[in-house]
Amino acid sequence: MLKAGALYFSIFVAFLIAVICASLIMLATHYRGSYLKEMRMARLSRNMESGIAYVLAENENTSGSIEGLDLFGDQTDSVLIAKKKWGIFTLATVKSFVLSDTLKRSFMIGLETTNDALAVYLSDEDRPLSVSGDTRITGDVEVPKAGMRKSYVESRPYSGDQLVYGKIQDSKRMLGGLEKKWITEIEEKLDFDPSALSTLNASDEQVSFFATAKEFDVSRLTKINNNLSGQITLYSDTTVRISADAKLDNTIIYAKSIVIADGFKGNCQLFARDSIIVGNDVALSYPSVLALISKEKTVDQAKITLGSNVVFEGTILSYEPKRSALQTLVSLGEKTVVKGEIYATGLIKLEKKIKVEGKVSCNRFIMQTPTTLYENFLVDVTLNRKARNRVYLTSAIFTGVTGNKKILRWEN
């Protein structure tokens, strides 16, 4: 005969077994859910990589498009691709999604320059290029048929043992061009009337590249001293002044003229019609842009001026639709360092002890000493194509660039 307590014991054991079985079922369900989620995320990651590879293999002319892509034709692996121009670069956003799970990445695209070994391109105006003092040119050059020569300037001869540490070839009458579609879009931005936009106030702005871009009118501001980051574009129909206290990261500015105060540090793309003036001891990090897009008929000389001890990483370019009597001017102050490329459909003025790690293209060099203005003379300057960072990427705005498309910078 069983004791009365045996029934309670049996109920307890049954309950314990039920709890254990339920726990095992819940644990199995949890792990199965985690496994399925991990598989979905792995699938999303693979689809994301496929979408990015598709963007990098795509024709550059598709900028400004939004495209839904069924990767394998089974309606289960899809990505959404959006592209637009961001300054002189292409900005792409790729979204990979399965049911409610989504991955997204945003990035700027540039072109490889490993096949371009040119340190100097000087248009053929039937004038030789003269080198003097401690000038050093490392990399290939394309110069006028009149050639290169060693010269005395201020009683100093050329100190190098060869004119160029690379190949010397003949240049053509004109520079390599800029892509018309890019110039047209930049000109539309420069001619845009910003009066309908909100005025930038004193608060800081941070705009994700996955959010809607913000545009502001800064025409009536005396100066910009905000902290601005992300997908922000500023417009002005007059002069924009950037304070040394301002913090700009990836910001784009379109204005008639732009002035950067001494000591400013940041990353931005600046576009102007008349002039861009960069103060002393300024540091603009890669991939910054200084672009002067001049109109066909201007009274004053359109120019970009960099002060002394400036460190610039990126692209400097000046453009005019037809060669004028004055031509555009890019002027570099003493001890300035440019890491990237300079393109001028006009003149480049160099002070002593300037260093360019990259490529320089122009119609004519000028150099001012206390007593004389020299044309197509290089005195105590360093132009070194091989010193440029190997991962440097250029813009598709330059005609004839054939390098592979790569990710220039990831955006948030």
Side-chain angles (χ1 to χ4, degrees):
M1 182 176 179
L2 295 175
K3 295 182 179 180
L7 179 60
Y8 293 107
F9 181 75
S10 300
I11 292 173
F12 173 75
V13 171
F15 174 75
L16 184 61
I17 293 173
V19 170
I20 294 173
C21 290
S23 299
L24 291 174
I25 292 172
M26 291 177 62
L27 189 62
T29 302
H30 172 74
Y31 276 108
R32 183 175 182 276
S34 298
Y35 172 76
L36 292 176
K37 184 176 181 179
E38 184 178 343
M39 293 296 291
R40 285 199 305 273
M41 294 305 294
R43 186 175 179 179
L44 286 170
S45 297
R46 289 194 299 269
N47 291 349
M48 173 65 69
E49 292 174 1
S50 298
I52 292 173
Y54 179 85
V55 170
L56 296 178
E58 206 175 16
N59 191 304
E60 191 65 30
N61 292 328
T62 57
S63 292
S65 63
I66 299 178
E67 181 180 3
L69 184 64
D70 183 7
L71 292 173
F72 307 112
D74 56 7
Q75 304 298 317
T76 58
D77 296 276
S78 300
V79 294
L80 185 66
I81 298 170
K83 295 173 62 179
K84 68 176 182 179
K85 291 183 176 64
W86 188 250
I88 66 169
F89 299 103
T90 297
L91 176 70
T93 300
V94 179
K95 294 183 180 180
S96 171
F97 51 91
V98 174
L99 300 176
S100 61
D101 293 324
T102 303
L103 283 181
K104 53 188 178 181
R105 300 298 302 270
S106 185
F107 52 92
M108 284 201 296
I109 299 171
L111 300 177
E112 285 184 325
T113 61
T114 51
N115 294 329
D116 183 7
L118 276 183
V120 175
Y121 183 96
L122 179 64
S123 298
D124 191 351
E125 295 183 328
D126 300 318
R127 308 179 186 191
L129 176 62
S130 300
V131 291
S132 178
D134 295 328
T135 293
R136 293 293 182 273
I137 302 176
T138 304
D140 299 343
V141 300
E142 293 187 14
V143 294
K145 292 182 178 63
M148 297 184 64
R149 65 188 184 188
K150 301 178 182 180
S151 298
Y152 280 81
V153 174
E154 297 178 333
S155 301
R156 293 182 60 212
Y158 177 63
S159 62
D161 54 6
Q162 58 190 79
L163 289 171
V164 174
Y165 297 85
K167 299 178 182 178
I168 301 177
Q169 297 177 313
D170 293 337
S171 63
K172 299 178 181 179
R173 290 287 183 180
M174 302 292 291
L175 290 173
L178 300 177
E179 291 290 342
K180 183 62 178 177
K181 61 178 182 178
W182 287 84
I183 295 299
T184 298
E185 188 160 326
I186 293 172
E187 288 182 321
E188 290 175 354
K189 298 284 189 180
L190 287 168
D191 295 335
F192 173 71
D193 182 4
S195 58
L197 300 176
S198 300
T199 300
L200 180 70
N201 55 36
S203 63
D204 297 335
E205 294 281 350
Q206 295 183 347
V207 182
S208 169
F209 279 88
F210 301 118
T212 302
K214 288 189 178 182
E215 299 179 333
F216 297 99
D217 179 11
V218 294
S219 302
R220 292 178 291 278
L221 298 184
T222 56
K223 63 180 179 180
I224 296 173
N225 53 16
N226 309 59
N227 185 342
L228 304 178
S229 176
Q231 201 173 187
I232 299 173
T233 304
L234 309 181
Y235 294 89
S236 174
D237 55 14
T238 182
T239 300
V240 171
R241 300 183 183 276
I242 303 174
S243 165
D245 297 326
K247 305 293 183 183
L248 304 183
D249 182 23
N250 226 339
T251 307
I252 295 180
I253 301 178
Y254 297 96
K256 184 177 180 181
S257 299
I258 299 173
V259 179
I260 302 178
D262 294 350
F264 171 80
K265 292 178 174 57
N267 171 271
C268 49
Q269 297 190 56
L270 308 180
F271 300 86
R273 280 294 196 188
D274 294 347
S275 65
I276 299 176
I277 300 175
V278 180
N280 300 326
D281 303 306
V282 170
L284 291 168
S285 61
Y286 180 75
S288 290
V289 175
L290 302 178
L292 184 71
I293 310 298
S294 175
K295 290 187 175 181
E296 186 171 339
K297 295 181 180 180
T298 57
V299 176
D300 298 323
Q301 185 177 38
K303 58 185 177 181
I304 299 174
T305 304
L306 276 67
S308 61
N309 297 304
V310 172
V311 178
F312 179 87
E313 300 177 0
T315 302
I316 300 174
L317 68 89
S318 68
Y319 168 83
E320 58 181 356
K322 291 184 180 179
R323 182 180 293 194
S324 62
L326 291 174
Q327 300 192 59
T328 62
L329 172 68
V330 175
S331 177
L332 306 183
E334 188 173 6
K335 296 182 181 179
T336 284
V337 177
V338 176
K339 302 178 181 181
E341 54 196 314
I342 306 173
Y343 174 98
T345 56
L347 317 176
I348 294 182
K349 182 180 179 182
L350 303 175
E351 300 289 346
K352 292 183 177 180
K353 299 181 181 179
I354 284 172
K355 185 176 183 180
V356 178
E357 298 177 2
K359 180 180 179 180
V360 178
S361 304
C362 64
N363 290 332
R364 193 185 312 160
F365 290 108
I366 58 175
M367 175 162 278
Q368 181 75 59
T369 68
T371 57
T372 310
L373 177 67
Y374 294 92
E375 292 190 347
N376 280 358
F377 273 72
L378 299 177
V379 183
D380 295 337
V381 299
T382 301
L383 308 177
N384 191 338
R385 169 62 183 84
K386 295 182 179 180
R388 188 167 71 188
N389 196 310
R390 292 183 179 181
V391 299
Y392 176 87
L393 301 177
T394 190
S395 166
I397 194 172
F398 297 107
T399 301
V401 178
T402 58
N404 295 326
K405 292 164 65 176
K406 299 289 185 181
I407 294 173
L408 185 149
R409 168 174 166 164
W410 293 105
E411 305 294 356
N412 297 319

